[in-house]
Structure formats: C-alpha cells, structure tokens
C-alpha cells in the first residue's frame, strides 16, 4: 500500500489558536482525507512549537513559567484539531522528551558530519519571529517586516550550521525537482534566495535557557527553528507506542505551510536533512495569508477571528468550506463575516443542502425511498465524465480551491437537472413512470458521487448524507474508484434534517 505523510507547521504556543492556524490544519486535513480515499496508508501530523523566545517572552510578560504557558495553549491547539474535523493521527509537542532526545541525536550527527562550528554572530533579530533578518529584509527604522517592531542588535557566541555548504546541493535539488515547492511563485522565491548566496546560520542560542539543551555544551540550547523543523521527523519514532513508523512514512510527502515560513522549510530544512544524511520531503505546499483589513491575521498583531466561535454557530464544515472556497488556495485572500454568511446561505444551504434534501424527499415521496435501478441518464453522463480523475489531479497539485470548484459545478448541474426534468410534473403522469425512475435514479447516483468527492472538504455533513443514501444497509464506499456515475449501488434512502439550516 503506498504511504502518504502530510504535516502542518507546529504552531507557537505564545497565544491561543486563531483562524490562520485553523486554515492550514483544514487544508492539510483535506489532503489527508483525499489520500485515504485513494486507498493509501496516511499519516497526518500537527502539533505545537513550544521553545524559543516568542514563548519565553510571552510567559514572562504574564509572570508565569514558559512550561505553564505552553501547557495551557498546547491544550487549546490540541482541542482545536477535532473541532475542525481534522483527522490528525498524532499531535506532537516539542517539549515531549522523545522529541527533545531526537533533536539532540540528529543535531549531534550533523556536528559529527562536519557541518557545525563555533563563531560569533552579529545581526538584527526579531524576537517575535525568532528569526535573524538579512539586511535587505529590514523595514525602515530597523523594524521587522512582519511585526513592525524594532529589531534587536544581537551579538553572541554561537555554534553555527554550515548552510553555505549546501548552496550547490540546493541549487541541484531545485533544478532536478521543479515541483519541490508549489506554487511556482514560491519555488522561484526560494530559488532566488538560494542564488543570492547562502550564509551560515546560528544553530544554538547562548542567552536563552528555554529550549532543547545542546548535548556538547550545556551553556547553549538549540535555536528554536532547528528544534521545531525536526518535529516532522521525530514524531514518527514515537507517535505509535511500541512502534517506529519512520520506515513506513519517511520521507514526508507534503509539508503544508504559509509563505511566512517558506525560507525555513524550503532552504534550511532540506539542507539540515542533507547534513544529517536523511531523505528529503517530496513537496512543500505554500498557501497565502488570510487577511482582515488587508493585514495578515496574527496573534501578535491582535486582529484575530476566533475559529471556535465560528464553529460554535455554523459548524466545522461551514468553516472548512468557506476558507477553501473563498480564498484561492496559494494566494492571499480577505476573509469577512459578510462573505462567510453569503457563501453559507447561497452555496451550502441553497446549492448543496437543498439538492440533498429535495432529492431524498422526492425519492421517499414518489418511490418509498427505493432507488430505481437502471443506467444513469445519458443527458448527464458527459458532465460527470472524468470528474474524479480531474479532482485527483488538482488536489495532487494542491489546487484545493479549483478542485472544489470542479465539484461545485456538478452540484449546480444536478440542480439544473432537477429543474429541467421537473420530477414533480412526471409524477403526475403514470405513463411517465419510467422517466421518473430514470430521473430519480440518476439524481441519487449523482448526489452519491459528489458526496464522496466532497467528503474531504465537508466530512461531517457528507457522512450524514451518505448514511441517508445508504439507509438500506451496508456502508457506502468512500473510495475514489467508486466516485463515478453508475459505479454505486444505492438500495434505499431516507430523508434527512437540513444539512445547513438557514437560521442558525
Ligand atoms: O511559524 N493566514 O508558528 P506560528 C494563513 N512555530 N495562515 C496563517 C496565518 C494567516 N493569517 N497566520 C498563521 C510558526 N497561519 C512556527 C512554525 S514549523 C516547523 C514551525 C498559519 O504559530 C500558517 O500555516 O506563527 C503559518 O505558516 C503558521 O500558521 C505559522 O504559525
């Protein structure tokens, strides 16, 4: 069985989760579910990044220890995943002792392999990003381009990672693997950063104590980014008690991230893996920012929209749908409650919810819930031809929004089919019973196909719908191979409560 390993970034626990975190977790979950539908063995990882300055500073500002703040906020992130409908197989915390031991092991190996040396670092540092800024990134007034706060001039004795040794190997990697980073614009951005010349970077911090101790020098902890990146590797060794999943799932298939952390994932990470003699991930999928009033939403900027509140009122599926439908995956996009409510009413409640409830209601009213056997209507067959293959191709290229649009066109096509065929008219005329059979059978089958294809996006409501479509017993097949018109065998259906009620 082919294996598929997908990750989200591990989120900083300096504050509670917000919609931006929810967005990445949802996107990664769509990929995980889609690959399960392909029949692959899937491992889906998310978690929290708990060391480093952003967390230590936030804790001290509240007068508590970093571990206490980490414990409190890690629980919030852990609880968010299932509320979003995310099907992660494990939740990693970088304060897990197994992770910390693995970081020490791998980074010691990097040193043994000759890629670590001692030196003095001097440069501009943003404590919120936990990142040293290159001269050409710095905003007017020596400010951070993301947080707009003043940068700190840092000078300290450090151990360095010889990133510069990977200039050529990275250029080769990018030349050989044109899809290593997607979309293409991000690939180009990473490549031009490499070509501008790579400088060595600090591997450890001297002044900080909140981090993984450096085994060969107890006055240092590892720089949080190296600790954090290694989560993708360490998790496999202890996620399943008594078993090591590394062999089965390493290297990772996809790392899903936003563009803010591109450099770490597209440059530092492959370089670090090469230095440790480990295989590189297949691809890095980079999405844009969710924007409110044109600014990136972030904990430190304070302009956040609470995903828990949205889910409370409209359900996780509505949030998943809105984010992947309204913001083209890979680009920045504004989010607003108005746009959310508009999509909810016109697309979820009207297009999809109505199609589902009226199809099932007509089957119950006119045929006692029994789906008439027979071939699907030739009038509709061409519109569904090649659909699941197309969806597979698009999702395979991280085109999550385009894939959803392909499916949605069929939702609309089925609604038009209902209007064109007017089953309520056919039902008035006994001589047209055969036509009514064909229309109802085709609708049931069309609804089944789009429900299977929508499952990664709307897991909760599609599972309810599949239950109603499979009311005759025997779970309906969720696999992609069954997602073609005429492939399914629906026996009996039952009515359902509205999937997306209009008044919530
Ligand atoms: O960077 N729009 O953690 P973080 C879209 N710990 N996505 C957003 C977003 C927004 N406005 N805001 C956040 C870190 N995200 C490190 C990562 S990984 C080894 C270590 C999402 O809490 C997006 O995925 O700042 C972004 O890359 C991530 O949260 C940053 O989360």
């Amino acid at each position: 069985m082919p294996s598929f390993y997908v990750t989200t970034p591990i989120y900083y626990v300096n504050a509670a989760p917000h919609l931006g975190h929810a967005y990445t977790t949802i996107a990664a979950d769509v990929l995980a579910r889609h690959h399960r539908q392909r029949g692959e063995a899937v491992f889906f990882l998310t978690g929290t990044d708990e060391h480093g300055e952003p967390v230590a500073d936030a804790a001290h500002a509240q007068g508590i220890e970093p571990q206490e703040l980490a414990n409190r906020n890690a629980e919030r992130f852990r609880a968010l995943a299932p509320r979003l409908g995310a099907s992660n197989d494990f939740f990693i915390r970088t304060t897990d002792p197994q992770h910390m031991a693995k970081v020490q092991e791998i980074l010691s190996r990097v040193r043994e392999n000759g890629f670590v040396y001692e030196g003095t670092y001097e440069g501009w540092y943003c404590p919120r990003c936990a990142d040293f800024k290159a001269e050409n990134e710095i905003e007017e007034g020596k400010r951070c381009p993301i947080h707009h706060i003043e940068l700190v001039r840092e000078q300290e004795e450090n151990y360095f990672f010889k990133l510069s040794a990977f200039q050529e190997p990275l250029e080769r990697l990018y030349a050989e693997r044109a899809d290593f980073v997607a979309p293409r614009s991000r690939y180009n951005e990473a490549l031009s950063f490499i070509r501008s010349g790579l400088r060595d970077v600090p591997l450890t911090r001297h002044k900080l104590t909140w981090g993984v101790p450096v085994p060969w020098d107890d006055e240092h902890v590892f720089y949080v980014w190296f600790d954090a990146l290694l989560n993708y590797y360490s998790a496999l060794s202890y996620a399943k008690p008594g078993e090591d999943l590394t062999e089965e799932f390493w290297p990772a298939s996809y790392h899903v991230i936003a563009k803010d952390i591109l450099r770490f994932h597209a440059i530092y990470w492959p370089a670090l893996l090469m230095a440790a003699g480990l295989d590189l991930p297949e691809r890095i999928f980079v999405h844009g920012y969710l924007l409110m009033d044109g600014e990136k939403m972030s904990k430190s900027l304070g302009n956040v929209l609470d995903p828990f509140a949205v889910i409370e009122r409209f359900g996780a599926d509505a949030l998943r749908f809105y984010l992947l439908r309204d913001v083209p995956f890979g680009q920045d996009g504004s989010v607003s409650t108005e746009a959310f409510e508009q999509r909810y009413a016109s697309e979820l409640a009207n297009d999809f919810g109505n199609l589902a409830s009226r199809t099932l209601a007509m089957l119950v009213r006119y045929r006692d819930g029994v789906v008439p056997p027979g071939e699907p209507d030739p009038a509709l067959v061409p519109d569904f031809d090649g659909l699941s293959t197309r969806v597979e191709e698009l999702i395979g290229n991280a085109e999550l929004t385009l894939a959803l649009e392909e499916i949605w066109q069929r939702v609309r096509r089925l609604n038009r089919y209902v209007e064109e065929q007017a089953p309520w008219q056919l039902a008035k005329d006994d001589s047209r019973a055969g036509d009514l059979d064909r229309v109802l059978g085709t609708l049931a089958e069309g609804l089944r196909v789009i429900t299977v294809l929508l499952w990664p996006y709307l897991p909760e409501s599609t599972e309810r719908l599949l239950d109603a479509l499979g009311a005759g017993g025997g779970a309906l097949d969720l696999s992609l191979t069954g997602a073609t018109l005429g492939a399914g065998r629906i026996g009996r259906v039952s009515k359902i409560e509205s999937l997306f009620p209009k008044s919530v």
Side-chain angles (χ1 to χ4, degrees):
M1 198 192 277
S3 67
F4 178 81
Y5 176 22
V6 61
T7 67
T8 72
I10 47 170
Y11 307 116
Y12 282 132
V13 288
N14 53 345
H18 62 67
L19 204 60
H21 305 119
Y23 181 51
T24 315
T25 302
I26 290 169
D29 187 59
V30 170
L31 288 165
R33 288 178 186 269
H34 171 81
H35 281 268
R36 290 196 195 102
Q37 286 188 301
R38 292 189 189 193
E40 298 171 8
V42 170
F43 193 80
F44 170 20
L45 180 70
T46 186
T48 42
D49 186 358
E50 307 192 0
H51 291 127
E53 221 148 353
V55 178
D57 286 353
H60 293 140
Q62 295 179 38
I64 57 175
E65 286 304 310
Q67 186 68 63
E68 194 183 334
L69 181 69
N71 290 349
R72 185 192 304 159
N73 282 326
E75 274 324 300
R76 293 183 176 157
F77 280 97
R78 191 199 294 278
L80 179 64
R83 299 278 308 270
L84 295 170
S87 56
N88 53 301
D89 297 284
F90 189 58
F91 186 93
I92 188 170
R93 298 183 55 183
T94 54
T95 49
D96 292 343
Q98 301 95 320
H99 166 78
M100 292 174 64
K102 201 57 141 185
V103 168
Q104 292 179 324
E105 175 197 323
I106 301 295
L107 294 178
S108 298
R109 197 194 302 165
V110 168
R111 179 166 172 254
E112 282 150 27
N113 290 349
F115 297 108
V116 176
Y117 65 93
E118 231 177 324
T120 307
Y121 186 83
E122 191 171 347
W124 295 101
Y125 180 79
C126 171
R128 297 257 178 85
C129 294
D131 188 16
F132 295 92
K133 303 287 168 188
E135 288 295 337
N136 61 1
E137 290 177 295
I138 296 171
E139 249 182 20
E140 284 251 332
K142 298 284 180 230
R143 286 174 183 277
C144 167
I146 296 170
H147 296 99
H148 315 306
I149 56 169
E150 271 187 36
L151 298 172
V152 185
R153 190 74 185 167
E154 289 273 1
Q155 190 193 33
E156 62 181 32
E157 293 298 310
N158 273 328
Y159 292 93
F160 279 76
F161 172 57
K162 261 193 215 169
L163 184 62
S164 59
F166 296 92
Q167 175 87 30
E168 269 170 35
L170 284 172
E171 283 185 23
R172 209 172 322 123
L173 167 73
Y174 276 70
E176 282 165 9
R177 287 165 55 176
D179 62 357
F180 182 61
V181 177
R184 192 69 188 179
S185 54
R186 300 292 160 211
Y187 169 96
N188 290 334
E189 187 182 328
L191 183 56
S192 68
F193 188 90
I194 298 167
R195 286 191 177 144
S196 73
L198 295 178
R199 291 187 314 148
D200 296 341
V201 289
L203 177 75
T204 68
R205 302 296 313 276
H206 196 175
K207 292 180 194 150
L208 270 187
T209 50
W210 181 237
V212 177
V214 172
W216 64 84
D217 186 336
D218 57 15
E219 288 189 7
H220 288 249
V221 295
F222 285 112
Y223 175 37
V224 64
W225 267 101
F226 289 99
D227 162 4
L229 285 163
L230 281 167
N231 91 88
Y232 301 133
Y233 182 71
S234 71
L236 295 176
S237 67
Y238 69 97
K240 201 163 171 190
E243 227 180 291
D244 190 332
L245 300 173
T246 312
E247 187 144 330
E248 185 177 1
F249 289 105
W250 193 261
S253 314
Y254 300 155
H255 295 308
V256 184
I257 60 167
K259 61 185 189 179
D260 52 343
I261 52 179
L262 176 70
R263 182 160 36 97
F264 297 104
H265 285 80
I267 297 164
Y268 290 25
W269 181 223
L272 181 67
L273 289 168
M274 288 186 216
L278 295 170
D279 288 339
L280 307 190
E282 278 165 43
R283 304 185 74 179
I284 298 164
F285 277 158
V286 190
H287 63 68
Y289 289 155
L290 301 183
L291 306 170
M292 295 186 76
D293 304 326
E295 276 275 3
K296 177 198 170 202
M297 270 189 326
S298 85
K299 289 174 285 210
S300 25
L301 291 172
N303 52 351
V304 295
L305 207 141
D306 181 6
F308 287 106
V310 180
I311 294 169
E312 188 70 36
R313 184 157 163 224
F314 294 95
D317 280 4
L319 180 66
R320 296 168 69 103
F321 178 80
Y322 169 68
L323 293 177
L324 292 173
R325 179 107 172 112
D326 218 43
V327 180
F329 195 71
Q331 299 168 31
D332 291 350
S334 294
V335 290
S336 70
T337 42
E338 290 84 2
F340 175 88
E341 284 172 15
Q342 168 72 21
R343 290 273 182 197
Y344 182 89
S346 72
E347 299 192 331
L348 286 178
N350 271 353
D351 291 351
F352 184 52
N354 260 353
L355 173 70
S357 40
R358 66 179 174 168
T359 298
L360 294 172
M362 287 190 292
L363 279 158
V364 169
R365 184 173 329 132
Y366 303 132
R367 291 294 180 264
D368 252 348
V370 178
V371 178
E375 292 300 308
D377 195 334
L380 213 69
V381 170
D383 295 312
F384 277 72
D385 259 359
L387 173 63
S388 76
T389 315
R390 179 85 186 120
V391 167
E392 231 174 286
E393 269 168 23
L394 287 168
I395 297 187
N397 280 317
E399 294 288 6
L400 301 186
T401 304
L402 291 181
L404 183 53
E405 170 58 20
E406 286 283 334
I407 307 168
W408 218 255
Q409 282 173 15
R410 276 54 178 208
V411 173
R412 295 197 165 132
R413 177 68 191 99
L414 286 172
N415 276 320
R416 280 203 311 280
Y417 181 74
V418 177
E419 298 305 323
E420 285 160 16
Q421 304 293 328
W424 46 91
Q425 296 293 351
L426 299 175
K428 288 182 191 155
D429 182 349
D430 282 347
S431 71
R432 313 233 17 216
D435 290 335
L436 182 59
D437 276 349
R438 191 185 62 247
V439 170
L440 293 177
T442 301
L443 274 174
E445 183 57 5
L447 186 60
R448 183 190 66 79
V449 169
I450 56 169
T451 303
V452 171
L453 292 175
L454 283 173
W455 177 71
Y457 294 89
L458 305 171
E460 193 188 322
S461 37
T462 52
E463 280 173 23
R464 272 177 61 204
L465 188 49
L466 285 170
D467 273 352
L469 286 168
L476 286 184
D477 181 11
L478 263 176
S479 75
L480 277 178
T481 45
T484 50
L485 215 56
R489 299 265 168 281
I490 310 179
R492 173 178 285 280
V493 302
S494 62
K495 282 210 243 185
I496 44 165
E497 294 285 311
S498 177
L499 288 175
F500 299 99
K502 284 202 174 129
S503 51
V504 285

